[in-house]
């Protein structure tokens, strides 16, 4: 009897979880800085992602550069990537925005052999 109740409770929990999940809208990055985005914004649950991936140093993504040299003890989470990376490369920054994102996100997923690397796994249809 006790087992049956626990089992029923578990099924109920699963059902609630499924309903809850299908209701929640996924957190995405905003692609509107790309003049005419070709793809839906990449899925990126900021805090949950970083916790799950075990990334503690914000500067892994929010880095600071001075004269093209990485400043290792500072971070730039108050700036958008697009404030420094432009649609096309410039003399100050040779890494265009799209390349900057793909390089940052995909390189780590390849290196760690975890996380999505296929187009449709990040740019999930809305
Ligand atoms: C690890 C996740 C990830 C993967 C895999 C990935 N992208 Fe992206 N991509 C991003 C992020 C993040 C951006 C910048 C924010 C945004 O537009 O969502 C971006 C931006 C873009 C942009 C510029 C914005 C736009 O929509 O025009 C294009 C084009 C693009 N990706 C195409 C691709 C293609 C093609 C592939 C597969 C070869 C791919 N991406 C794989 C994360 C990813
Ligand atoms: C795996 C990469 C990654 C890590 C690690 C990361 N972030 Fe972010 N964060 C992003 C991306 C990508 C954006 C969207 C930037 C954009 O739209 O230009 C963002 C946006 C933000 C924003 C909003 C910026 C704005 O002006 O709208 C804040 C605040 C922020 N992050 C804080 C943090 C803090 C604090 C940490 C460390 C505890 C952190 N982030 C770690 C990738 C990361
Ligand atoms: C304060 C300005 C600034 C901000 C904000 C910034 N970057 Fe950068 N980033 C640079 C500069 C400068 C370089 C070097 C460009 C060069 O060598 O021409 C660079 C280089 C890079 C590189 C290539 C080197 C490497 O680390 O692999 C990637 C990838 C990159 N940035 C991704 C991002 C992403 C993603 C964001 C947003 C989360 C971001 N950057 C925010 C200034 C910035
Ligand atoms: C320093 C390493 C690292 C960087 C940088 C990184 N990721 Fe990840 N990511 C991971 C790891 C590790 C996982 C798998 C976590 C797990 O399944 O335990 C992951 C999983 C994911 C997932 C699937 C799980 C989820 O949260 O939905 C998505 C989507 C994702 N990453 C998107 C991105 C995007 C977009 C960027 C760039 C803005 C990015 N990641 C940058 C390490 C990283």
């Amino acid at each position: 009897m006790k087992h049956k109740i626990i089992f029923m409770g578990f099924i109920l929990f699963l059902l609630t979880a499924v309903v809850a999940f299908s209701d929640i809208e996924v957190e995405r990055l905003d692609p509107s800085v790309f003049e005419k985005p070709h793809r839906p914004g990449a899925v990126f649950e900021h805090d949950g992602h970083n916790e799950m991936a075990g990334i503690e140093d914000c500067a892994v993504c929010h880095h600071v550069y001075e004269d093209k040299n990485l400043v290792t003890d500072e971070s730039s989470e108050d700036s958008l990537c697009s404030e420094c990376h432009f649609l096309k490369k410039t003399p100050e920054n040779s890494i265009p925005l799209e390349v900057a994102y793909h390089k940052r996100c995909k390189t780590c997923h390849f290196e760690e052999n975890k996380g999505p690397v296929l187009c449709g796994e990040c740019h999930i249809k809305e």
Side-chain angles (χ1 to χ4, degrees):
M1 188 62 195
K2 200 165 151 214
H3 282 101
K4 206 170 175 187
I5 290 170
I6 292 175
F7 181 68
M8 292 300 278
F10 182 64
I11 295 293
L12 203 64
F13 166 78
L14 278 186
L15 283 176
T16 331
V18 167
V19 172
F21 261 104
S22 48
D23 266 359
I24 292 171
E25 233 191 272
V26 284
E27 201 182 319
R28 292 171 187 270
L29 290 168
D30 178 7
S32 62
V33 280
F34 298 96
E35 280 150 359
K36 283 187 191 143
H38 299 282
R39 302 218 165 219
V43 169
F44 184 59
E45 311 269 346
H46 190 281
D47 296 355
H49 171 277
N50 296 339
E51 207 171 293
M52 194 169 64
I55 312 170
E56 275 166 19
D57 182 4
C58 308
V60 167
C61 295
H62 299 286
H63 55 199
V64 174
Y65 271 81
E66 235 171 68
D67 303 326
K68 298 226 171 170
N69 297 311
L70 185 67
V71 182
T72 49
D73 53 356
E74 283 179 40
S75 61
S76 61
E77 63 269 6
D78 50 347
S79 307
L80 299 172
C81 310
S82 56
E83 286 172 44
C84 300
H85 293 275
F86 309 103
L87 294 184
K88 298 222 160 70
K89 72 172 180 182
T90 60
E92 314 86 71
N93 198 317
S94 63
I95 321 274
L97 187 60
E98 186 184 328
V99 178
Y101 272 114
H102 285 155
K103 188 158 188 242
R104 177 60 64 249
C105 309
K106 286 202 241 175
T107 307
C108 179
H109 294 168
F110 272 120
E111 278 171 6
E112 299 209 11
N113 204 14
K114 270 190 203 157
V117 292
L118 300 176
C119 317
E121 290 178 311
C122 283
H123 300 286
I124 296 172
K125 283 203 191 99
E126 280 166 279

